[in-house]
Amino acid sequence: MRGKMTAWNLYESIRGILQQNGIESAQLEAWEIAAKAAEVDRRNAAVWRQTEVTPSQRKNAGEMLIQRLRGKPVAYIIGEWDFYGYTFHVTNDVLIPRSDTECLCDAAIREAKKRENPKVLDLCCGSGCIGIALAKNVPQASVVGVDISAKALEVARENAERHGLDKARYMTQWGDVRRMHNISGVYDILVCNPPYITAEEMEQLDPGVKEFEPHLALFGGEDGLDFYRILSKRYAGKLNPGACILVECGWKQARDIMALFHLGGLVEIGMEKDLAGIQRVVHAYVPANSSEIKEQ
C-alpha cells in the first residue's frame, strides 16, 4: 500500500494477505502483528486509525508477515502471548501458552485458595505461565517452577520479573521429572502440564507445532503416558500429607491417568472438563497417612 498508512490500514492489509493464504485465525494474528510492528496498544483500538506507521515499522511488519507465511507461529514472531489475562514472553524454547491450559490453572488456583500459605511445585513449567498466574491470583502462595530446559527457565524467570514476582513468590529450579529426588523442597500442591503427545499424534501434528515448538515439551512416549507413570510412583517425599496433584492431559487420556494415580496410592481422584467439554485435568490427593507411602 502506497502513501500514508495508519496502524488500522496496516492491520487490514495483513489480515487480507493472511486470509488469502488460508490462515484460519487471520483476524487475530493480523491484529497481533500490526500492534507489534506499529508499536500501538493492541487493547486500545481507538488510537489505531490516528496512528501513522513509519516506513521502518511497515518494513518490520512485512518481515513478520513473511515469517508467518513460512509457517512460524505468530506468538514466536512477536515474542509474547496472552494466558489467563496476563502477557507472557515466549521463545521457541517453550510451548506457546494455550487457552486449554487455563482449565488447569483455574483448578490449581481454587486449590491454592483453600490453603494457608501453600507451597506450589510447577513441574515442566516452560514459560512459567501456570505458576506465575497462580502466584498473581493467590498472594499467599509461593511457587517453584521446575524444568529440564535451562533456556525455558530463563524465560520463566523473565516472566516472573515482568509480573513483579520476587524470588520469595516465584523461583525456578532445574530438575528432571524422571528423577524427582533431585528436586528440592516439600509441597502442598503439584501442578504439571507434562509432555503427553503420543508417537502417532506426533506424526500428525500441525506443521507450525511440529516444526517450531520444542519436542521435548510435547512427546510423552509411545502412548503419551510416560510422565504420568513417573508422577504416580515418585511423588512420595515431595508432597505433604493431604497435598493435591493436578495435571493436564490429552483428550482421551484422563481415565488411564486416574487408574495410574489409583495404583500409586493417591485418593479422591477426579477429572475436570475444559470449555470444549474435553476431559482436560485430572486431580488427586496424597492420603493423610502418606508418611507410610514409599517411593516406588
Side-chain angles (χ1 to χ4, degrees):
M1 182 178 291
R2 298 183 181 276
K4 292 183 178 180
M5 174 181 280
T6 65
W8 184 262
N9 297 144
L10 181 65
Y11 156 69
E12 289 185 315
S13 177
I14 295 171
R15 183 188 62 189
I17 294 170
L18 292 177
Q19 287 174 335
Q20 291 170 13
N21 283 271
I23 304 296
E24 290 185 8
S25 53
Q27 183 171 333
L28 169 63
E29 296 192 17
W31 191 262
E32 297 288 349
I33 291 172
K36 187 71 172 181
E39 301 174 69
V40 292
D41 184 350
R42 56 195 172 90
R43 295 182 173 88
N44 184 11
V47 304
W48 285 48
R49 295 181 188 275
Q50 286 76 47
T51 302
E52 188 171 333
V53 179
T54 67
S56 64
Q57 289 172 333
R58 292 171 66 171
K59 180 182 178 182
N60 189 25
E63 291 171 350
M64 288 193 283
L65 180 58
I66 290 171
Q67 291 182 68
R68 183 64 191 102
L69 294 178
R70 289 175 176 171
K72 189 173 184 177
V74 69
Y76 291 147
I77 295 170
I78 66 174
E80 61 185 26
W81 205 245
D82 283 358
F83 176 82
Y84 215 81
Y86 305 99
T87 301
F88 290 90
H89 170 58
V90 295
T91 70
N92 57 7
D93 297 304
V94 301
L95 292 182
I96 299 167
R98 288 170 168 78
S99 58
D100 292 344
T101 303
E102 293 189 355
C103 176
L104 175 63
C105 201
D106 270 335
I109 288 170
R110 289 197 305 270
E111 186 64 37
K113 285 181 175 179
K114 298 176 185 177
R115 299 170 183 260
E116 184 177 352
N117 302 320
K119 294 182 178 180
V120 182
L121 178 62
D122 179 11
L123 288 180
C124 308
C125 68
S127 67
C129 62
I130 299 171
I132 291 169
L134 185 151
K136 294 291 288 183
N137 282 271
V138 188
Q140 72 272 25
S142 60
V143 182
V144 174
V146 172
D147 205 284
I148 196 171
S149 166
K151 290 184 177 180
L153 292 176
E154 289 178 11
V155 175
R157 286 192 291 271
E158 181 176 333
N159 280 320
E161 184 176 347
R162 171 186 283 209
H163 292 292
L165 297 174
D166 60 25
K167 290 183 179 180
R169 298 291 321 287
Y170 186 93
M171 65 179 294
T172 62
Q173 179 185 148
W174 182 91
D176 185 345
V177 175
R178 294 167 294 185
R179 299 172 179 82
M180 284 185 68
H181 60 274
N182 291 334
I183 298 170
S184 63
V186 181
Y187 301 89
D188 305 302
I189 297 171
L190 185 159
V191 60
C192 183
N193 180 15
Y196 58 73
I197 304 298
T198 68
E200 181 180 355
E201 289 168 340
M202 286 294 292
E203 296 300 319
Q204 301 169 357
L205 283 176
D206 179 273
V209 176
K210 189 173 183 178
E211 295 175 19
F212 292 95
E213 301 207 42
H215 286 199
L216 187 65
L218 292 167
F219 183 53
E222 188 67 26
D223 62 359
L225 300 176
D226 283 2
F227 281 78
Y228 305 105
R229 291 189 180 93
I230 294 166
L231 289 178
S232 70
K233 295 177 180 179
R234 300 182 183 171
Y235 64 86
K238 294 300 163 193
L239 298 177
N240 287 315
C244 182
I245 296 178
L246 303 111
V247 296
E248 180 173 322
C249 61
W251 66 280
K252 55 182 179 181
Q253 295 173 326
R255 295 197 179 278
D256 288 335
I257 295 165
M258 292 173 70
L260 288 171
F261 284 177
H262 176 73
L263 291 173
L266 295 166
V267 298
E268 298 180 55
I269 304 166
M271 66 178 77
E272 299 185 32
K273 296 180 179 180
D274 63 17
L275 293 176
I278 294 171
Q279 295 168 346
R280 183 65 61 186
V281 174
V282 173
H283 64 259
Y285 291 83
V286 177
N289 62 345
S290 61
S291 60
E292 301 175 4
I293 298 176
K294 305 297 182 183
E295 182 176 319
Q296 301 177 44

